Amino acid sequence: MQSLREQINLQRLPRHIAIIMDGNGRWAKEKGQDRLYGHFHGVESVRNIVEGCAELGVEYLTLYAFSTENWDRPEYEVTGLIELLVETIRKETETLNKNNIKLHVIGDVKMLPEYAQKELNESLQITSQNTGLNLVMALSYSSRWELVQAVKHIAEDVKAGKIDPATITQNTLQQYLVTSNLPDPELMIRTSGEYRISNFLLYQLAYAELYFTNVRWPDFRKENLYEAILDFQGRERRFGKTGDQVQKEHING
Ligand code: IPE
Ligand code: IPE
Ligand code: MG
């Protein structure tokens, strides 16, 4: 019997996997613990999944770590979570570097405390020359925030005479998003049994395959990732065409 890992077709990996890491709070509560305990254990899953993606040769992994709306959680949780995220990134930078992983951050980082911005910038700088897995942390990110800032910048550039509104295309808009240097995710995973997008990459997920699992994020491991990838590989991606067209294209290479 082949292991899940062996069943994966490495020629047909999703180039970009995006994950909504959900369920830390419930995981902790089920164990009679504080929510921060769940976030703390969620870090172990992050390590494991980053390693799993790097081993397989996935090019981009985006992790939704903190949303714009998460700022409205109780102050102790927000502070604890931001500290945990920044400290983890700082501690793991050396390992990222050793494994040729390049860190990116998307989101309204100006909302973060100054020490956190400084730490993040250092890690971004240290890993900037790496050419392996691109690890994108969505921090203080939400799609609606991103779209509003894109519209503002486009309006400013129109006003400054840099672009003519008549020439704006999907490509133009894409260049104003915080993901301008990333391909669209092909596979989006959400853990812990919620069937929603929660303001995550709304524009970029237009044709992503969505995969939902009941597994809570702190329990999510490589095997769960492999299951999601195998599920993805069993799907037919049509991009608006008919199944017959897609199959013909497939045969003709
Ligand atoms: C995901 O777990 C982590 C963040 C949103 C930061 P949650 O904290 O949302 O956990 P649940 O959904 O309450 O279980
Ligand atoms: C989405 O999870 C945000 C992150 C995983 C960072 P939430 O737990 O905040 O989403 P909702 O509130 O259940 O939609
Ligand atoms: Mg949640």
Side-chain angles (χ1 to χ4, degrees), residues 63-80:
L63 299 177
Y64 203 7
F66 193 87
S67 75
T68 308
E69 287 73 24
N70 289 149
W71 287 111
D72 294 333
R73 291 192 177 188
E75 200 188 318
Y76 97 97
E77 184 176 346
V78 170
T79 313

Side-chain angles (χ1 to χ4, degrees), residues 15 61 152:
R15 270 190 87 191
L61 172 66
K152 275 188 190 158

Side-chain angles (χ1 to χ4, degrees), residues 41-194:
H41 280 270
V43 172
E44 201 41 56
S45 305
V46 172
R47 274 198 206 96
N48 192 272
I49 295 312
V50 169
E51 193 180 280
C53 284
E55 284 167 359
L56 286 173
V58 171
E59 290 177 65
Y60 297 86
L61 172 66
T62 298
L63 299 177
Y64 203 7
F66 193 87
S67 75
T68 308
E69 287 73 24
N70 289 149
W71 287 111
D72 294 333
R73 291 192 177 188
E75 200 188 318
Y76 97 97
E77 184 176 346
V78 170
T79 313
L81 197 46
I82 298 290
E83 268 175 27
L84 177 68
L85 285 165
V86 174
E87 197 186 318
T88 304
I89 290 174
R90 185 174 56 77
K91 274 200 203 146
E92 297 292 322
T93 301
E94 214 182 293
T95 315
L96 294 179
N97 226 6
K98 258 192 224 140
N99 292 302
N100 199 19
I101 297 170
K102 181 171 174 174
L103 181 71
H104 306 251
V105 175
I106 55 169
D108 192 3
V109 280
K110 288 195 192 76
M111 292 277 289
L112 296 169
E114 218 156 287
Y115 86 90
Q117 294 185 40
K118 200 170 149 272
E119 297 275 6
L120 282 176
N121 282 332
E122 276 174 25
S123 299
L124 290 171
Q125 181 59 37
I126 292 170
T127 65
S128 64
Q129 301 302 316
N130 293 340
T131 54
L133 173 71
N134 289 281
L135 172 60
V136 186
M137 297 299 291
L139 258 179
S140 188
Y141 172 87
S142 81
S143 231
R144 289 182 177 179
W145 161 79
E146 176 186 36
L147 291 169
V148 168
Q149 67 87 35
V151 169
K152 275 188 190 158
H153 289 147
I154 292 173
E156 279 162 12
D157 284 352
V158 166
K159 202 169 155 196
K162 288 187 200 157
I163 44 174
D164 171 2
T167 65
I168 293 176
T169 60
Q170 289 186 17
N171 202 25
T172 320
L173 175 54
Q174 202 260 336
Q175 281 162 21
Y176 283 84
L177 299 177
V178 291
T179 54
S180 59
N181 54 347
L182 314 171
D184 286 345
E186 292 181 283
L187 169 62
M188 196 288 290
I189 301 171
R190 183 171 189 148
T191 59
S192 205
E194 304 304 338

Side-chain angles (χ1 to χ4, degrees), residues 21-26 35 39 65 70 73 77 81:
M21 309 183 289
D22 199 17
N24 296 352
R26 277 163 284 174
R35 297 179 57 85
H39 297 316
N70 289 149
R73 291 192 177 188
E77 184 176 346
L81 197 46

Side-chain angles (χ1 to χ4, degrees), residues 5 7-17 52-59 186-187 225-226 229-230 232-233 237:
R5 166 93 149 79
Q7 290 172 48
I8 294 175
N9 178 351
L10 296 175
Q11 311 307 317
R12 288 190 50 235
L13 280 178
R15 270 190 87 191
H16 184 173
I17 300 177
C53 284
E55 284 167 359
L56 286 173
V58 171
E59 290 177 65
E186 292 181 283
L187 169 62
L225 172 74
Y226 301 155
I229 293 176
L230 284 167
F232 167 86
Q233 292 190 332
R237 306 188 70 204

